[in-house]
Amino acid sequence: MKEIKLGQYIRGTSLIHKLDPRAKIIYCLFIVCSTIINSDWLIILVNICTLILAIILSKINIFKFFFRMKSLLLIFMFTLFFQAILTQGEQLFHIWKLSFTKEGIYQGILTIFRLIAIYLCSTILTMTTSPMNLIFGLEVLFSPLKKLNIPINQLAMIISIALRFMPTIIEEVDNIKCAQKSRGAQFESGNLLVRLQSVLAVLIPILANSLQRANDLAVAMESRCYDCKSSSKVSYNVPYKRMDIIVIGGVIINLVVCFII
Amino acid sequence: MKNIKKMTYCGLLIALSIVIPLTFVFLRVQAGPFSATLASHVPLFIAMFLGPVAAAMVGLGSALGFLMSAPAVIAARAFMHTFVGLVGAILIKKGVSFSKVIAITAPIHAILEALSVIPFGFTMYKVLVVVGVGTFLHHMVDGVIAFVLIRALAKSLKMDITKAAA
């Protein structure tokens, strides 16, 4: 069986792990917003410094963060390249018909740092918060939207269902792929068209089984007296701890500074 | 019962939309900064038949799911599926045929995904075109796959997905 890592959560007992998921989500939203809104070097460096501090406090092996960044290298290279050749400014050097400019390279490097900041904060969030806690945090933070008739309760329940069934579906995909391979299906070989035809042999039973499972689940939930209007959590009044208040306070201060600069 | 059933359908479709890119790696197509997994839009297209709210939920749910397991730029692109699903579901509700809905939502999808990568530094014209055109083609291929799947499901399950939530 293929080893597929579901999500990125790494169990731990560090300070960052214990933070309330709401505080962590607020912090990440701040990093993303301030990085996008303000492209000043100082803001970006401060953000990256706080992210590195969070990495250290989380006690997760630092190489795990940068290993995951490997997939972004291609994006970084393309960003730097296009910024360098398409931005007007003082020319540094020529390569064939492309002229690299000083301002272009500067903008490219700046953009890469912004990408790094955004990537790191989402990685820290998902590595130190379990998916269920994350859903809880999002549900509570979005609960004011209920007044706009947006069904936050149902959305939270739906995502919980999705998270619960992802491992089941992955296992099922593997089983059906093995079964179809034993009957001669080609997944890795052949051109794209052949692979698409083979995929249908997996997608159709997967979809059929999933819909059947959805039906069964609906019956089971109803027989257990689930009501769509009820909350998926019994209690909403989980208090913020002192550390949570410190983090949120820091976020607010940084936000003010960010808008002033 | 209708509501609960629709909810469980959404949950399973969200799970599928996250699992397909993870497990069907051999369907991945890479063109520079743009990458996509064929068939990954199929759950969204099926959700369109469940209604506008359900389709928006599937789009939103897949964005949140990707946020937990993929770079933020992927989650941003997935978030745009919320609006594509919404438009598609509304059109289906009005009686527009599935193939027409796929054709109508394709440019909307391409434009939205191209726009969603701008905050991540893809401000250059060429890159936006790559993402936009790639998404358009990806959308059309998945539309064909979804069409084939829905008819196959109607046979194997004796279930018409287009009336599944009724």
Side-chain angles (χ1 to χ4, degrees):
Chain A
M1 286 296 174
K2 195 191 313 181
E3 285 295 330
I4 293 178
K5 173 136 198 193
L6 261 180
Q8 303 180 67
Y9 180 59
I10 296 176
R11 192 179 303 273
T13 58
S14 72
L15 198 59
I16 306 295
H17 280 84
K18 290 173 184 170
L19 270 181
D20 191 287
R22 292 169 288 181
K24 282 186 269 192
I25 292 169
I26 290 174
Y27 169 72
C28 284
L29 286 179
F30 158 74
I31 294 285
V32 173
C33 291
S34 66
T35 302
I36 292 176
I37 291 170
N38 192 324
S39 60
D40 188 78
W41 267 111
L42 182 62
I43 297 295
I44 294 176
L45 283 183
V46 168
N47 285 345
I48 291 186
C49 286
T50 60
L51 288 165
I52 292 176
L53 177 64
I55 290 175
I56 293 171
L57 289 177
S58 69
K59 296 179 185 171
I60 293 175
N61 191 328
I62 196 167
F63 292 105
K64 286 186 175 173
F65 288 94
F66 295 106
F67 178 76
R68 294 183 191 280
M69 224 181 297
K70 234 174 45 173
S71 59
L72 292 183
L73 273 185
L74 193 57
I75 293 180
F76 289 167
M77 291 306 117
F78 266 87
T79 300
L80 184 58
F81 179 77
F82 279 114
Q83 292 269 16
I85 66 173
L86 295 178
T87 306
Q88 303 299 321
E90 174 191 345
Q91 285 189 11
L92 284 182
F93 52 89
H94 265 286
I95 294 182
W96 193 43
K97 292 182 180 176
L98 307 173
S99 60
F100 291 75
T101 63
K102 186 177 173 185
E103 287 78 8
I105 292 177
Y106 172 82
Q107 282 296 322
I109 294 174
L110 196 63
T111 302
I112 288 178
F113 270 96
R114 294 165 73 196
L115 286 174
I116 291 176
I118 292 174
Y119 178 77
L120 279 185
C121 82
S122 67
T123 302
I124 292 170
L125 177 64
T126 54
M127 274 189 166
T128 62
T129 314
S130 71
M132 283 306 169
N133 277 342
L134 207 47
I135 296 300
F136 162 73
L138 288 170
E139 181 184 0
V140 175
L141 289 179
F142 286 148
S143 57
L145 292 180
K146 288 178 193 172
K147 292 161 186 170
L148 303 178
N149 285 324
I150 296 177
I152 297 299
N153 285 343
Q154 291 184 39
L155 183 60
M157 174 58 68
I158 287 168
I159 294 175
S160 297
I161 292 172
L163 291 178
R164 158 65 183 82
F165 280 101
M166 278 175 68
T168 304
I169 294 180
I170 289 178
E171 186 181 345
E172 194 171 16
V173 169
D174 279 340
N175 287 339
I176 294 181
K177 273 166 92 179
C178 290
Q180 298 291 22
K181 272 185 182 177
S182 68
R183 300 183 177 109
Q186 312 175 60
F187 294 112
E188 275 84 33
S189 57
N191 57 37
L192 201 58
L193 200 58
V194 170
R195 279 182 277 166
L196 273 178
Q197 284 172 347
S198 297
V199 161
L200 286 180
V202 178
L203 269 185
I204 292 175
I206 286 290
L207 211 37
N209 288 343
S210 295
L211 296 181
Q212 195 61 53
R213 185 175 290 114
N215 277 324
D216 296 344
L217 181 60
V219 173
M221 287 171 70
E222 193 182 22
S223 67
R224 285 173 171 78
C225 302
Y226 175 79
D227 179 10
C228 283
K229 297 186 176 64
S230 67
S231 167
S232 61
K233 291 284 181 177
V234 173
S235 170
Y236 262 75
N237 299 317
V238 180
Y240 289 100
K241 304 189 198 77
R242 182 184 297 107
M243 186 55 62
D244 301 323
I245 295 174
I246 292 174
V247 168
I248 296 177
V251 165
I252 294 174
I253 294 174
N254 277 318
L255 210 50
V256 172
V257 171
C258 175
F259 277 112
I260 291 177
I261 293 182
Chain B
M1 182 59 176
K2 277 191 185 181
N3 268 350
I4 301 179
K5 194 165 177 176
K6 199 175 279 189
M7 257 182 49
T8 56
Y9 270 64
C10 287
L12 270 294
L13 288 174
I14 290 173
L16 267 177
S17 64
I18 298 170
V19 165
I20 286 176
L22 289 176
T23 54
F24 293 94
V25 182
F26 48 88
L27 284 183
R28 160 159 278 143
V29 176
Q30 184 100 31
F34 174 79
S35 76
T37 304
L38 299 182
S40 58
H41 292 132
V42 169
L44 177 72
F45 294 161
I46 291 175
M48 287 177 186
F49 290 103
L50 302 178
V53 174
M57 293 271 207
V58 171
L60 203 54
S62 62
L64 291 173
F66 276 120
L67 196 61
M68 298 176 196
S69 57
V73 64
I74 305 294
R77 285 172 53 198
F79 177 68
M80 293 309 173
H81 294 156
T82 305
F83 307 108
V84 176
L86 208 53
V87 171
I90 291 172
L91 291 175
I92 288 179
K93 213 173 185 181
K94 291 181 177 176
V96 181
S97 72
F98 182 67
S99 41
K100 281 182 187 168
V101 168
I102 293 298
I104 293 172
T105 52
I108 297 174
H109 192 182
I111 292 171
L112 286 179
E113 283 211 11
L115 291 179
S116 72
V117 299
I118 289 179
F120 298 91
F122 295 83
T123 51
M124 295 306 123
Y125 174 76
K126 288 181 180 177
V127 179
L128 288 181
V129 168
V130 170
V131 174
V133 172
T135 300
F136 185 94
L137 296 177
H138 182 201
H139 183 103
M140 300 305 282
V141 171
D142 283 6
V144 173
I145 296 175
F147 190 74
V148 172
L149 273 178
I150 289 169
R151 294 211 301 192
L153 279 174
K155 292 177 183 175
S156 68
L157 278 185
K158 306 278 194 310
M159 172 200 291
D160 191 350
I161 184 65
T162 62
K163 297 166 187 160

